[in-house]
Amino acid sequence: MANIAWDDYLPEVLSEADGVPYKMAINEIRNAAIELCEKSEIWRSNLDALNISVGEGEYLLDIPNDAEVISLRWATHNGVTITPTSEDELDTEWNNSRSENWRVKTGDPTGIYMQDPYTARVVPLPVTALANGLLVGVSLKPAEDSYEGPKLLYTHWKEAIAYGAKWKLLGMKKRPWYDATSAENDRVRFFRKISMAKIRARKSGARTTTHVRMRPIA
């Protein structure tokens, strides 16, 4: 999938925030893109099928270097839906109803959670090797050290990201470009765009069709 550098958003921002240092503008553009994705989950990707290994619960998601996973949207094991969950939810469920340690339990996986922003863990540990046995869909956001974002954001949400960046920049008191009224207007516009992105995401109208491959941890 083609990416667009954060620099390409600068004309939308600096036209109303003259004098803002380059690095500061880029930082707020990136922050606005991250917030847009976190609040709307507009950037979505369905990962390529992954081979399941016996006894292997952890799988490294092969997502772009400039991205992080916000959440697991859905997953299937051997064609059967498994439930996105969390460690806390698993602890509560298994301690209350099963009195077992889910971390070492083996069987056909029924759950999956993000162990960190890049690694998924299936539960229980698989007992059967399966070619193309795991499918996962995720919501993504730009990484905090990224230099670019997906074309999806630039094509459909450039204006929203510019609003978010200008809101923060123009709201910086004691700066030459400080403009409280404009900052508030941009804040309102930014959150209005986030609401629109939420609706678009739910209706699947702007989901990326990019597939990225997951690979098991060696």
Side-chain angles (χ1 to χ4, degrees):
M1 176 178 58
N3 285 338
I4 304 294
W6 300 128
D7 303 51
D8 289 349
Y9 292 78
L10 285 172
E12 300 289 325
V13 174
L14 297 183
S15 62
E16 297 180 35
D18 188 39
V20 174
Y22 171 83
K23 289 185 178 180
M24 185 181 291
I26 292 296
N27 186 60
E28 294 303 340
I29 288 168
R30 180 172 51 235
N31 287 344
I34 291 172
E35 186 170 359
L36 171 69
C37 290
E38 287 178 337
K39 286 183 164 64
S40 69
E41 298 198 21
I42 192 65
W43 183 11
R44 302 179 174 194
S45 184
N46 299 331
L47 308 180
D48 286 348
L50 176 68
N51 296 334
I52 291 290
S53 301
V54 174
E56 178 58 71
E58 298 177 8
Y59 296 90
L60 182 65
L61 309 189
D62 192 14
I63 62 175
N65 291 332
D66 56 1
E68 293 181 359
V69 173
I70 299 172
S71 65
L72 295 168
R73 294 175 39 244
W74 61 268
T76 63
H77 172 265
N78 199 23
V80 177
T81 297
I82 60 177
T83 304
T85 184
S86 69
E87 286 191 84
D88 288 346
E89 289 174 336
L90 287 166
D91 284 335
T92 299
E93 177 189 353
W94 286 67
N95 290 339
N96 290 346
S97 62
R98 310 191 192 192
S99 299
E100 296 177 282
N101 185 351
W102 60 265
R103 291 173 174 82
V104 297
K105 180 70 174 177
T106 59
D108 289 335
T110 58
I112 185 171
Y113 70 92
M114 290 301 301
Q115 188 161 284
D116 59 46
Y118 310 99
T119 309
R121 167 76 148 83
V122 295
V123 180
L125 298 173
V127 293
T128 305
L130 294 170
N132 301 321
L134 182 65
L135 289 172
V136 178
V138 296
S139 296
L140 299 169
K141 65 178 180 179
E144 291 186 1
D145 60 352
S146 61
Y147 293 95
E148 57 189 15
K151 186 177 181 180
L152 164 76
L153 296 183
Y154 187 82
T155 301
H156 297 285
W157 305 104
K158 175 175 62 175
E159 189 176 47
I161 291 168
Y163 286 146
K166 288 187 294 180
W167 162 37
K168 295 299 179 67
L169 291 167
L170 296 175
M172 294 179 177
K173 295 181 179 180
K174 298 183 179 180
R175 296 283 187 170
W177 55 83
Y178 174 64
D179 185 335
T181 300
S182 294
E184 176 60 17
N185 289 338
D186 285 327
R187 184 193 69 81
V188 171
R189 294 184 182 110
F190 180 53
F191 282 98
R192 186 178 297 135
K193 289 287 187 179
I194 287 175
S195 296
M196 293 170 60
K198 286 180 181 178
I199 295 170
R200 184 80 64 88
R202 292 193 190 106
K203 293 182 177 179
S204 303
R207 294 181 185 177
T208 176
T209 57
T210 298
H211 291 262
V212 291
R213 186 175 300 281
M214 292 167 51
R215 56 176 180 271
I217 295 176

